[in-house]
Amino acid sequence: MSQSWFDEGELIGVLTTQPLDRLLDYRAPAGGCHVGAFLEVPLGPRRVLGVVWGPGRGDFDLSKVRPANRVLDAAPMTETMRGFLEKVGAYTLTPMPAMLRLATRAPGLGDAPSMRKVYRRGDGWPDRETDARRRVIAALDEMGGLALTLGELSDAAGVTSSVIKGLVKQGVVLEEDSPRDVPYPRLDPDYGGKELTEDQAEAAGQLCSGIATGAYGTTLLKGVTGSGKTEVYLEAVAECLRQGRQALVLLPEIALTAEFLTRVEARFGTRPAEWHSGVTMTERRRVWRMVGEGGADLVVGARSALFLPFRDLGLIVVDEEHDTSYKQEDGVLYNARDMAVLRASLESAQVVLASATPSLESWANADAGKYERIDLTARFGPAVLPEMRAIDMRGETLPGGRWISPTLQGAVRARLEKSEQSLLFLNRRGYAPVTVCRACGHQIGCDHCDARMVEHRFLKRLVCHQCGATKPMPERCPKCEVEGKLAAVGPGVERLTEEAQALFPEARVVTLSSDLFGSARALKARIEEIAGGEADIIIGTQLVAKGHNFPLLTLVGVIDADLGLQGSDLRAAERTFQLMRQVAGRAGRAEKPGLALLQTHQPEHPVIRAILSGDEENFWRAEAAEREAVRVPPYGRLAGIILSSTDAQEAFDLGNALARNDAPLRRIGAQVFGPAPAPIARVRGRHRVRLLVKAAKGAPLQQALADWVRPFPIKGQLRLAIDIDPQSFY
Ligand code: ADP
Ligand code: ZN
């Protein structure tokens, strides 16, 4: 058994949040310490946060080993949590200090608990009774001896604070100091459940019996928007609370609304702890501490809530599990959905992955029997699914270089007349996907992989969407050397926008494409404006498929439904399909029914037929087969390597050196593509270079990657980041 207690002066190994590549030896502080204890330790002239990770190594001059300053007033990190951080660190190739920073994202953990004033019932009776005074006394009596803050008490009694202060003077109400980080009120699992439909009750029963096992298990809860997934998983939360364990509900930040919290309150009688970017620093600290001490039953939070120090976590719900925002794209590159499954397996907890449009990864895991699966097929209430139709492009007359068919034009025009919005969906960034030489037929390809280059007029360059290589548009054909014959072929969103503007000169046309916005915030702001009605026609890439709600949107035109069938972008078909289903979800809420039109040259293709008929299983099966054939996720593994430096040459030199010395990768049969400039080649003054590694599903990729990069010193301005299972390739 590993040692769990260290007497004062014993050597301990401490993990700190400082970027050092090893545990540091210290001596246990006065009073001794537990393994897992949070410490303040001296480091040079500073004092830093650390956690007792185990015994010290003793490989350092023992006379120089310093004692830790003190044990912090926080619950020690559990063994499970330590194991979780180590496993996530190993999976994402993140150094442990960065993992610890992720797990301690709350301010003032070392501070003494701060105090605040609270009020409770004292003895005696007021000299003069008024209604207001009686209400204060009644409110406190109702609390059965529990104290309230001034704000809570004045709210509960409906009086001003001066009424309460008056009663304090008379000793009728007692004013006391109380630590600020107080436990959250307990949630009542039997407070306000709805009567469930038969399907819902069966689903809830299945989730609850999973929880009753007290063991690990993951369930994919699939159902159209409005089918009652939230109602059902809240029953699982209730069961988890009855078992005396804690629960965590993860939502994409954009879905973490006051409305959702009100729903939780209606179900459990009180609000849960919240963890997201809008939570104040003091509240963050309270959540962090209370989760660790067991003073919070339920946390509703964004992805980083997964790294809170739960004492006894029994259930993790990942709502909208397909949402790409679960992937953290800077700092520690982790996917909260996947890491939730990992954490649950360590905690002997259950996971519920809820979605109307699951990711292929989760579908495949359910299909393989690794996850349970529950389907809610009916909507609650009378909502209807939108109509979906194919436009057979073989029967449409379109001049060359145009993509909006007469039928689709008519549908858009009808929406314009009613002041409703249309979305033209094309999963192609840039101006044109292919650049071809009209003299010899040569297509400009990428020098680094087998993809074609895409013209981006906005950037004035050709870009490879596979590995990110870019080059200027050449004057002459690289093959036949004839000048001035290179031509754009096919549509990208930039070109489609030109066409829509020409067809509908009176309409406000906007383009939503990830490469056109400087920041996520700018994009979110723009999306909100558009949702509010500041556009008539939205031209969008997969970006619009991210669960944004456009209430005025009643028409979706898919410009090239065949595109997803070609597998050029790994998740193009999946996103197209998800978009269709999400449109379905919206249409049920709005008064007006929605219409989805798919332009296709092959309406008889199984994937198109599956989309139109709503036969999702067939769709997933076809999509899975396509991906399996080219061995991409979830049937193969990818890792992105992002090198950056203020000096472009330095980043490239390292990229080339890595590409040349790929023996550790070849040993596991993995291939490396690149280096190539990233599509966003400069971010905040840093030049970015990418490599892409592709490996077989079972290959020990992390170990090989670690062995591969280890010999290369990352010094000075250079940075190297490894993105396991990349979702974006920018
Ligand atoms: P989903 O999470 O699948 O989108 P919700 O759980 O949000 O579905 O349910 C959609 C709406 O229907 C919500 O307003 C919810 O309160 C309501 N609803 C669902 N099931 C029931 C039920 N059994 N009784 C009453 N209202 C329900
Ligand atoms: Zn390439």
Side-chain angles (χ1 to χ4, degrees):
M1 237 187 70
S2 57
Q3 190 176 355
S4 67
W5 175 260
F6 300 92
D7 289 325
E8 177 172 356
E10 264 189 274
L11 272 189
I12 51 176
V14 175
L15 173 64
T16 71
T17 53
Q18 303 305 301
L20 304 162
D21 60 5
R22 54 161 290 177
L23 298 181
L24 300 178
D25 278 6
Y26 286 93
R27 293 194 181 279
C33 59
H34 264 111
V35 68
F38 284 88
L39 299 177
E40 180 189 278
V41 294
L43 189 70
R46 289 181 304 151
R47 297 160 165 215
V48 302
L49 180 75
V51 173
V52 184
W53 218 254
R57 264 205 247 170
D59 57 352
F60 191 70
D61 181 354
L62 285 181
S63 65
K64 288 192 183 143
V65 174
R66 298 160 79 180
N69 295 336
R70 62 192 177 99
V71 176
L72 301 180
D73 178 31
M77 191 183 277
T78 61
E79 194 179 342
T80 313
M81 184 67 182
R82 295 197 305 276
F84 176 57
L85 294 183
E86 280 179 343
K87 287 209 155 68
V88 176
Y91 187 86
T92 59
L93 293 164
T94 304
M96 287 307 289
M99 291 309 306
L100 183 60
R101 281 198 294 280
L102 190 59
T104 52
R105 280 232 205 116
L109 293 183
D111 301 351
S114 62
M115 304 303 260
R116 62 172 180 179
K117 301 270 183 244
V118 295
Y119 300 82
R120 71 172 81 244
R121 179 79 164 97
D123 297 324
W125 206 250
D127 53 359
R128 191 172 48 81
E129 271 186 59
T130 63
D131 262 3
R133 287 177 163 184
R134 263 196 294 274
R135 285 203 301 276
V136 172
I137 292 166
L140 287 177
D141 284 346
E142 210 176 302
M143 292 309 294
L146 287 177
L148 293 173
T149 64
L150 193 59
E152 288 163 350
L153 181 53
S154 60
D155 276 357
V159 301
T160 61
S161 52
S162 62
V163 176
I164 298 166
K165 294 281 184 180
L167 290 170
V168 169
K169 276 202 197 101
Q170 298 180 26
V172 179
V173 172
L174 302 178
E175 185 182 74
E176 297 168 353
D177 285 320
S178 156
R180 186 174 287 281
D181 297 328
V182 292
Y184 290 86
R186 295 235 91 90
L187 273 64
D188 178 0
D190 302 310
Y191 181 83
K194 289 204 169 76
E195 196 174 316
L196 299 181
T197 66
E198 205 171 307
D199 281 3
Q200 291 172 345
E202 198 184 313
Q206 202 172 323
L207 293 181
C208 290
S209 46
I211 286 170
T213 63
Y216 161 74
T218 296
T219 305
L220 174 61
L221 175 62
K222 187 177 167 309
V224 291
T225 311
S227 58
K229 293 185 297 298
T230 311
E231 297 298 336
V232 167
Y233 75 62
L234 289 180
E235 290 314 303
V237 170
E239 184 60 22
C240 174
L241 300 181
R242 283 188 204 105
Q243 305 271 330
R245 302 181 76 186
Q246 294 168 298
L248 168 64
V249 174
L250 293 178
L251 292 166
E253 180 104 34
I254 205 160
L256 254 167
T257 56
E259 187 196 344
F260 182 83
L261 296 164
T262 309
R263 248 178 110 171
V264 173
E265 187 174 4
R267 175 61 187 82
F268 297 107
T270 180
R271 289 170 87 88
E274 284 172 61
W275 182 270
H276 52 84
S277 62
V279 170
T280 64
M281 285 300 161
T282 25
E283 193 62 15
R284 261 174 180 260
R285 196 180 78 143
R286 180 183 175 205
V287 175
W288 193 91
R289 294 177 89 97
M290 286 307 122
V291 162
E293 291 171 21
D297 308 334
L298 170 62
V299 177
V300 174
R303 65 180 176 229
S304 65
L306 185 62
F307 291 91
L308 285 170
F310 290 93
R311 294 244 55 81
D312 183 13
L313 186 58
L315 170 68
I316 307 174
V317 176
V318 185
D319 201 352
E320 311 282 3
E321 69 90 29
H322 62 277
D323 197 287
T324 49
S325 72
Y326 282 119
K327 181 65 186 285
Q328 162 118 343
E329 296 285 8
D330 49 34
V332 182
L333 306 173
Y334 66 94
N335 187 322
R337 177 195 65 213
D338 301 344
M339 296 305 114
V341 171
L342 171 63
R343 180 153 191 188
S345 70
L346 299 173
E347 302 266 4
S348 297
Q350 293 278 316
V351 180
V352 176
L353 304 176
S355 176
T357 53
S359 59
L360 181 64
E361 277 82 354
S362 297
W363 179 88
N365 279 326
D367 194 53
K370 286 191 209 152
Y371 297 171
E372 298 293 321
R373 175 169 157 178
I374 301 174
D375 285 64
L376 291 173
T377 46
R379 284 195 174 196
F380 185 80
V384 285
L385 288 169
E387 197 183 343
M388 298 206 210
R389 267 189 269 144
I391 296 175
D392 187 343
M393 295 302 278
R394 294 169 301 192
E396 300 277 329
T397 332
L398 264 179
R402 301 245 171 215
W403 288 273
I404 306 173
S405 66
T407 305
L408 185 53
Q409 286 173 32
V412 172
R413 200 158 280 123
R415 296 305 176 296
L416 286 173
E417 277 159 17
K418 291 191 279 182
S419 300
E420 294 173 10
Q421 287 176 332
S422 304
L423 166 67
L424 301 182
F425 177 73
L426 179 64
N427 210 1
R428 268 183 168 156
R429 291 183 285 128
Y431 187 80
V434 182
T435 303
V436 70
C437 171
R438 292 227 189 276
C440 74
H442 176 70
Q443 296 185 2
I444 298 194
C446 174
D447 301 338
H448 307 280
C449 49
D450 52 6
R452 290 179 298 219
M453 299 293 271
V454 177
E455 182 185 354
H456 281 240
R457 290 229 166 145
F458 197 73
L459 302 171
K460 301 192 175 65
R461 288 181 84 81
L462 292 164
V463 178
C464 167
H465 289 178
Q466 173 93 27
C467 72
T470 81
K471 53 187 171 193
M473 188 76 178
E475 296 283 307
R476 51 182 74 229
C477 172
K479 184 132 178 257
C480 72
E481 310 219 312
V482 172
E483 210 179 304
K485 285 288 180 191
L486 291 172
V489 176
V493 283
E494 294 174 12
R495 199 172 188 185
L496 193 63
T497 301
E498 274 182 16
E499 184 181 348
Q501 265 157 355
L503 283 170
F504 310 104
E506 72 288 2
R508 295 163 301 167
V509 182
V510 298
T511 318
L512 280 181
S513 179
S514 56
D515 51 340
L516 300 181
F517 289 85
S519 71
R521 185 181 300 172
L523 175 64
K524 202 167 157 178
R526 190 75 188 110
I527 284 173
E528 264 158 36
E529 286 168 15
I530 294 167
E534 288 191 16
D536 303 308
I537 300 174
I538 306 156
I539 312 277
T541 60
Q542 71 203 34
L543 201 66
V544 295
K546 281 185 70 175
H548 303 296
N549 196 11
F550 298 100
L552 301 171
L553 182 72
T554 57
L555 173 70
V556 172
V558 178
I559 295 301
D560 188 354
D562 305 337
L563 185 59
L565 315 177
Q566 297 155 11
S568 58
D569 175 336
L570 171 60
R571 295 186 172 84
E574 178 177 350
R575 300 261 153 83
T576 305
F577 187 68
Q578 286 169 343
L579 179 79
M580 294 288 91
R581 309 307 295 182
Q582 279 153 10
V583 173
R586 277 189 210 108
R589 287 189 213 153
E591 304 284 288
K592 306 165 192 106
L595 174 64
L597 295 175
L598 280 71
Q599 296 194 148
T600 174
H601 285 91
Q602 30 185 338
E604 68 291 338
H605 190 289
V607 172
I608 301 292
R609 287 224 307 266
I611 292 177
L612 292 177
S613 68
D615 183 350
E616 294 179 60
E617 289 311 306
N618 265 337
F619 170 78
W620 289 120
R621 225 162 278 292
E623 175 65 7
E626 301 259 350
R627 291 219 204 151
E628 201 161 7
V630 288
R631 279 171 287 115
V632 293
Y635 304 98
R637 306 194 61 191
L638 294 177
I641 315 296
I642 306 106
L643 308 172
S644 69
S645 172
T646 46
D647 176 359
Q649 195 55 47
E650 190 185 31
F652 249 102
D653 289 347
L654 175 60
N656 283 319
L658 281 166
R660 274 196 310 272
N661 297 283
D662 64 345
L665 297 177
R666 272 186 282 123
R667 224 169 282 137
I668 64 159
Q671 286 170 283
V672 56
F673 301 103
I680 303 180
R682 211 156 68 104
V683 174
R684 287 181 291 269
R686 300 181 65 83
H687 298 268
R688 303 167 76 249
V689 168
R690 290 193 68 111
L691 298 110
L692 184 70
V693 176
K694 190 174 166 193
K697 190 172 166 60
L701 181 58
Q702 277 86 349
Q703 190 55 52
L705 289 169
D707 293 344
W708 178 45
V709 302
R710 191 176 302 113
F712 297 91
I714 308 297
K715 294 192 302 246
Q717 283 300 316
L718 260 181
R719 299 279 177 281
L720 180 150
I722 299 182
D723 186 1
I724 304 286
D725 313 327
Q727 290 277 336
S728 74
F729 299 83
Y730 76 92

